[in-house]
Amino acid sequence: MDMFNAIIQVLDSTIRLSVPLLLACLAGLYSERAGIFDIGLEGKMLVGAFAGASAAAVFHSALIGLGTAVLISVAFALVHGFASITHRGNQIVSGVAINFIAAGSTIILGQAWFQQGGRTPALQPAERFEAIIWPGAEAIKDVPIIGPIYAELISGHSILVYFAFAMVPFTWWVLFRTRFGLRMRAVGENPAAVDTAGISVAWLRYRALICTGILTGVAGAYLSMVQNGGFVKDMTAGKGYIALAALIFAKWKPVNAMFACLLFGFLDAAAIRLQGSPLPIIGKVPVQFMQALPYVLTVILLAGFIGKAIPPRAGGVPYVKER
Amino acid sequence: MAQAAIELIGINKSFGAVRANRDINLEVARGTIHGIVGENGAGKSTLMSILYGFYQADSGEIHVGGKPVSINTSNDAIALGIGMVHQHFMLVDNFTVLENIILGAENDVLLKSSIAKARSELDRLEREYGLEVDPDAVIEELPVGLQQRVEILKALYRGAEILILDEPTGVLTPAEADHLFRILKQLKEQGKTIVLITHKLREIMAITDTVSVMRQGTMVATRVTKETTVGELAELMVGRRVLLRVEKGQSEAGAIKLSVKNLTVKDSRGVTMVDNVSFDVRGGEIVGIAGVAGNGQSELLEAISGIRHAVSGEVMLEGKPIDLTGKADPGELRDRGLAHVPEDRHHVGLVLAFEENENSILGYHDDERYLKGPFLDVDAIMADAKDKIEKYDIRPGNPRLKTANFSGGNQQKIVLAREMEQDPGVLIVGQPTRGVDVGAIEFIHKRLIAMRDQGKAVLVVSVELDEIRSLSDRILVMFAGRVVGERGPDATEGELGLLMAGVEHQEAAE
């Protein structure tokens, strides 16, 4: 039973840890499907986290925090669009620039506003998104097997967790069942086909980037307002890049993206769980090794263990009408 | 004459200093097929792009159905019932036919109703025009002929009454082209107006009612097709008389320079593309390989030039074998006197972003002539490039110009100049004049014959039967990966056509 409880706990933290990855990964899916590489997921998450925690602390409202996070993140996404769609700049350079601006500005503004060394004030319960306990969770908690699964895994998460997982089927539906999704996929494959069909390539790509901004904003808010009780500098810690890796691993498909992010989340959770405890056969493993595992896995997976991942064909190429 | 479907009056369009269209007037009658011919760069595509709203004219008027209109975007054109089949298909390769058809013409935020409508509409178009295509097929898995049909269906689905086709047969096999022409005639009978842009005069003669000729941005003449001849049109296009058939003397075949024995090549899916092919090419002769595109010619060329793995067989170059593992060093083969003008000059033959002079030595850049110690000798390279420009009449004659800015014919001349001027013993040429205009074709053919007369062995692969017949001393016909026949230069088109279609081959097999 101990073993079972341990597994439930690891899976529970797998869900919590994979949420920011999943949101960022789906965010990247929107922009990359539309043909815009977005290496700036990391930066947009970071400004989202900072804006969310700051606004929540100042206005004492979790909702205002979330709204601000989304707003600022979308603004950054539009900057990326302005550089790479309107001015046909290099998308990688623009994304890297956004990451730098995010890393620097959050620390400077945080220090200027709150004087806590780049942190934002610790959030009160009302300023955060609290866990939602599902009906009956307490009651059946002690029922063997089903009880813990329901009470721990399904119930007891913040609204943003449910939002993240609901975004998976929703994104699939948008991509494959709506006009916007059809056009978005088309513009990522062959923008000239979209242009000659009488649809604005730029406006379509801007809209996709706005979707990206919304999701990275929510991802940031989750980090600073759910997982943590405030903003800490560089708190995204490379999650934006892992999300990009997961996106490639998932071959730009929403359901695959969920499983890829759960896998990365699981590795993270397992690493935390196994810290300090000896493993069978191998014995005690250094903490640093376990923490490095998700990143090692990223490298291994991307180095070719995933089969052929074909990115959207027009990805990274600014659209210019042919002469 | 019936009422004009389209009327263009005084159209002007410049790109920077280049005047692509000057003072163009054009009238196309409703329910006719109107051809527009001209060399590459004559301004045909620009003119049609203006009509389709892709570009805006600097000045001039467009009338559609008798009324003056302004066409600022493709949407305006579509709304006026103008549809365009682009030379490079505007299709999303990994979408299904249905998805491509509805893209941009969805009737609703959700796709469901659009897909249902498109399905029944496709069914109707299929019945009316014989435009059969599987609505659920993925574009990239369809042959080009069918992809083009999807482009036509796309235009018809949007209610096009006027259909513009830009070089529609460039990518088609002769059989597919014939089928296309039947479809176009049928569309005409249903009252559609068709504008056909091409540089193939034979197509103009075969299908159009009227024809306009463009040269260097101006409209030089409009004729009723029945009252003109290929010769007159060709002359109007280039502004002088052209030889449609190159004159050449008897070949004096010498020793075997290239020998292919029992060569078999499979593609990445394991399908046999070249099946046990054997032939020799002697010095002083041109051997032409005819065949419908996709019957193994490309793979054969690639295997011989050492860039594609061959399953079995051997290829001897001047008596010594070529490495057929697909890992042969192209530099070494060049040193051994094998020059290769690839079929696809954009992807294999040239680096389009390079300057002309860089492309004119590409692959030979480690030759002593172009080196000064470990560095490139820029002066020598420039002198060499200028020399080639003069000799091959490459225009514009600026070796510093980016290669992408040359027309197709001139790009081909850059590749040919590079390969021929190395004085190779064996020259392999894939599609020597694909996308090349009439004037340049004549020039290229003459150079190939000059190579032959110098005693070189020349192997030409082309899908243009006329070209094969006019150049070759011996013609090999490929069908389904096999050489199904060998004929002399006097073989008739019908005879070769039957071989290309595999008719004789199948009979023999039975």
Side-chain angles (χ1 to χ4, degrees):
Chain A
M1 214 59 219
D2 263 1
M3 190 61 189
F4 178 74
N5 280 333
I7 290 173
I8 289 288
Q9 273 170 18
V10 169
L11 291 182
D12 184 43
S13 52
T14 296
I15 290 178
R16 291 167 202 278
L17 289 168
S18 57
V19 163
L21 292 179
L22 179 55
L23 287 166
C25 188
L26 292 174
L29 191 144
Y30 279 91
S31 71
E32 300 221 340
R33 277 282 189 163
I36 304 287
F37 283 160
D38 199 350
I39 207 167
L41 294 176
E42 175 88 0
K44 287 198 280 286
M45 261 206 283
L46 197 62
V47 292
F50 175 73
S54 306
V58 172
F59 298 105
H60 307 295
S61 155
L63 272 181
I64 292 181
L66 177 67
T68 314
V70 167
L71 210 66
I72 298 297
S73 177
V74 168
F76 270 68
L78 292 177
V79 170
H80 186 48
F82 187 65
S84 60
I85 302 171
T86 306
H87 289 290
R88 304 188 188 107
N90 184 304
Q91 297 168 8
I92 302 296
V93 173
S94 163
V96 169
I98 279 176
N99 287 342
F100 278 124
I101 294 169
S105 63
T106 47
I107 297 173
I108 291 172
L109 291 177
Q111 177 60 18
W113 289 344
F114 305 107
Q115 283 94 33
Q116 295 183 11
R119 287 167 173 271
T120 59
L123 295 177
Q124 302 307 310
E127 298 159 358
R128 299 175 60 179
F129 288 99
E130 289 295 286
I132 298 169
I133 309 295
W134 285 32
E138 279 303 315
I140 66 161
K141 200 172 168 191
D142 296 322
V143 179
I145 316 283
I146 303 169
I149 289 180
Y150 183 73
E152 298 280 337
L153 288 188
I154 297 175
S155 165
H157 295 291
S158 127
I159 180 80
L160 297 187
V161 174
Y162 299 113
F163 172 80
F165 283 94
M167 282 314 287
V168 175
F170 179 75
T171 300
W172 178 86
W173 179 79
V174 167
L175 270 184
F176 297 105
R177 288 291 180 268
T178 70
R179 177 171 69 190
F180 173 62
L182 179 80
R183 293 179 174 186
M184 195 172 81
R185 283 184 291 133
V187 85
E189 293 289 332
N190 185 358
V194 171
D195 197 8
T196 50
I199 309 164
S200 163
V201 171
W203 172 225
L204 198 49
R205 288 186 160 170
Y206 267 111
R207 279 183 292 170
L209 282 189
I210 289 171
C211 296
T212 302
I214 292 170
L215 289 176
T216 47
V218 177
Y222 178 85
L223 285 177
S224 67
M225 297 166 63
V226 175
Q227 214 169 55
N228 209 352
F231 176 82
V232 185
K233 73 169 185 163
D234 291 334
M235 70 186 304
T236 44
K239 287 193 177 61
Y241 300 112
I242 298 268
L244 270 184
L247 183 60
I248 298 169
F249 185 34
K251 301 183 182 175
W252 295 268
K253 293 191 178 104
V255 178
N256 290 1
M258 181 180 77
F259 288 117
C261 291
L262 282 172
L263 175 65
F264 283 114
F266 172 75
L267 286 175
D268 232 359
I272 295 167
R273 175 77 196 177
L274 295 176
Q275 271 175 25
S277 48
L279 285 175
I281 307 167
I282 316 167
K284 211 167 163 186
V285 175
V287 180
Q288 289 82 356
F289 177 79
M290 294 308 295
Q291 284 170 339
L293 256 189
Y295 304 93
V296 172
L297 182 80
T298 307
V299 173
I300 294 173
L301 286 178
L302 292 184
F305 274 86
I306 53 168
K308 203 171 174 196
I310 303 164
R313 253 158 272 191
V317 189
Y319 178 61
V320 188
K321 265 189 196 191
E322 247 177 288
R323 223 221 78 176
Chain B
M1 207 172 189
Q3 188 203 357
I6 313 166
E7 208 178 333
L8 302 177
I9 304 160
I11 299 286
N12 278 292
K13 176 73 183 173
S14 301
F15 294 103
V18 183
R19 289 189 70 185
N21 285 162
R22 1 180 148 201
D23 211 22
I24 303 275
N25 295 308
L26 175 71
E27 201 179 312
V28 180
R30 186 179 299 285
T32 62
I33 300 182
H34 186 97
I36 297 181
V37 284
E39 295 189 302
N40 289 326
K44 299 167 293 186
S45 292
T46 303
L47 185 65
M48 289 303 118
S49 295
I50 288 170
L51 186 55
Y52 190 63
F54 221 52
Y55 304 131
Q56 277 73 55
D58 299 335
S59 65
E61 269 181 57
I62 303 175
H63 292 213
V64 174
K67 290 187 212 78
V69 293
S70 74
I71 301 177
N72 296 318
T73 65
S74 304
N75 255 345
D76 297 343
I78 294 166
L80 288 164
I82 300 173
M84 183 148 175
V85 174
H86 296 264
Q87 185 176 6
H88 305 287
F89 304 149
M90 294 298 176
L91 297 171
V92 181
D93 285 344
N94 55 3
F95 275 23
T96 64
V97 170
L98 273 179
E99 286 178 318
N100 268 293
I101 300 263
I102 61 175
L103 180 66
E106 310 91 340
N107 38 10
D108 194 329
V109 176
L110 300 183
L111 294 180
K112 210 169 174 184
S113 67
S114 312
I115 287 184
K117 184 181 156 210
R119 205 179 277 280
S120 68
E121 191 62 12
L122 275 187
D123 206 42
R124 185 183 68 80
L125 291 169
E126 184 177 318
R127 266 181 284 121
E128 249 170 69
Y129 303 107
L131 289 164
E132 284 160 37
V133 61
D134 172 11
D136 298 306
V138 176
I139 295 295
E140 59 197 350
E141 285 161 9
L142 293 176
V144 274
L146 282 182
Q147 293 186 8
Q148 186 174 59
R149 202 171 292 177
V150 176
E151 279 275 81
I152 296 173
L153 284 168
K154 236 170 88 175
L156 295 177
Y157 183 72
R158 286 158 173 74
E161 286 300 318
I162 300 161
L163 202 57
I164 306 166
L165 293 104
D166 190 359
E167 301 281 0
T169 58
V171 292
L172 299 185
T173 62
E176 284 173 327
D178 285 346
H179 194 116
L180 172 70
F181 290 160
R182 280 202 299 279
I183 290 168
L184 293 183
K185 280 183 179 152
Q186 218 160 359
L187 288 169
K188 180 180 101 169
E189 278 158 23
Q190 306 264 352
K192 311 273 185 204
T193 308
I194 292 163
V195 180
L196 179 70
I197 305 174
T198 183
H199 61 254
K200 294 184 187 163
L201 295 173
R202 179 203 274 245
E203 293 173 359
I204 291 290
M205 300 309 288
I207 185 170
T208 63
D209 300 305
T210 45
V211 52
S212 297
V213 183
M214 286 187 78
R215 187 170 73 223
Q216 291 172 356
T218 58
M219 194 64 88
V220 290
T222 296
R223 296 274 187 276
V224 174
T225 310
K226 276 184 206 142
E227 295 164 10
T228 185
T229 61
V230 172
E232 186 195 16
L233 291 176
E235 211 180 312
L236 285 166
M237 268 167 73
V238 289
R240 67 192 155 81
R241 199 162 274 286
V242 283
L243 292 171
L244 282 177
R245 194 148 184 149
V246 243
E247 283 164 23
K248 60 175 201 253
Q250 199 61 39
S251 82
E252 285 170 30
I256 293 174
K257 294 212 166 195
L258 180 73
S259 166
V260 176
K261 273 200 193 71
N262 307 109
L263 190 70
T264 297
V265 179
K266 292 188 175 173
D267 72 359
S268 52
R269 296 162 300 166
V271 177
T272 304
M273 297 306 289
V274 178
D275 191 358
N276 199 17
V277 165
S278 304
F279 62 89
D280 294 327
V281 186
R282 293 171 180 273
E285 71 169 351
I286 297 181
V287 173
I289 297 184
V292 175
N295 274 290
Q297 306 97 311
S298 307
E299 289 78 10
L300 176 67
L301 274 194
E302 286 172 12
I304 294 176
S305 45
I307 51 183
R308 182 186 275 271
H309 167 70
V311 183
S312 60
E314 63 173 11
V315 178
M316 307 289 270
L317 174 64
E318 315 251 14
K320 290 201 193 87
I322 284 179
D323 176 8
L324 292 177
T325 57
K327 297 191 178 96
D329 176 3
E332 187 209 316
L333 291 178
R334 276 187 211 108
D335 291 343
R336 284 168 58 186
L338 178 79
H340 177 205
V341 176
E343 290 186 304
D344 184 346
R345 59 177 169 263
H346 286 172
H347 293 115
V348 188
L350 294 164
V351 181
L352 289 179
F354 276 16
E355 291 173 6
E356 192 275 342
N357 67 84
E358 294 169 313
N359 269 310
S360 78
I361 59 149
L362 200 66
Y364 299 99
H365 52 273
D366 49 3
D367 195 293
E368 276 171 23
R369 278 171 300 164
Y370 307 127
L371 294 179
K372 208 191 269 172
F375 302 106
L376 288 174
D377 183 349
V378 178
D379 293 339
I381 293 171
M382 285 305 259
D384 182 79
K386 279 182 188 146
D387 189 43
K388 285 175 185 162
I389 282 172
E390 195 151 318
K391 242 172 145 173
Y392 287 80
D393 190 25
I394 295 166
R395 278 180 278 182
N398 174 7
R400 303 302 307 264
L401 193 66
K402 233 172 80 172
T403 312
N405 296 340
F406 286 84
S407 73
N410 283 300
Q411 288 175 354
Q412 186 72 345
K413 284 189 198 168
I414 295 171
V415 181
L416 281 165
R418 178 179 76 208
E419 301 301 333
M420 288 181 174
E421 287 304 300
Q422 301 303 321
D423 198 27
V426 177
L427 179 66
I428 301 180
V429 190
Q431 315 299 347
T433 58
R434 176 183 277 174
V436 170
D437 48 60
V438 174
I441 289 176
E442 184 191 356
F443 180 86
I444 290 170
H445 283 180
K446 278 187 177 160
R447 299 297 315 197
L448 287 172
I449 286 167
M451 290 291 284
R452 177 198 80 162
D453 292 343
Q454 288 165 30
K456 319 288 188 197
V458 182
L459 178 65
V460 173
V461 168
S462 174
V463 292
E464 300 286 343
L465 200 48
D466 280 347
E467 175 163 86
I468 292 285
R469 290 175 64 216
S470 103
L471 280 175
S472 313
D473 300 307
R474 285 192 293 135
I475 301 172
L476 303 175
V477 182
M478 276 188 86
F479 175 75
R482 289 166 175 272
V483 171
V484 292
E486 182 179 331
R487 295 288 184 273
D490 46 2
T492 65
E493 192 176 329
E495 187 182 354
L496 292 171
L498 284 178
L499 281 171
M500 283 165 67
V503 173
E504 218 161 282
H505 177 63
Q506 276 161 8
E507 277 167 8
E510 273 166 17

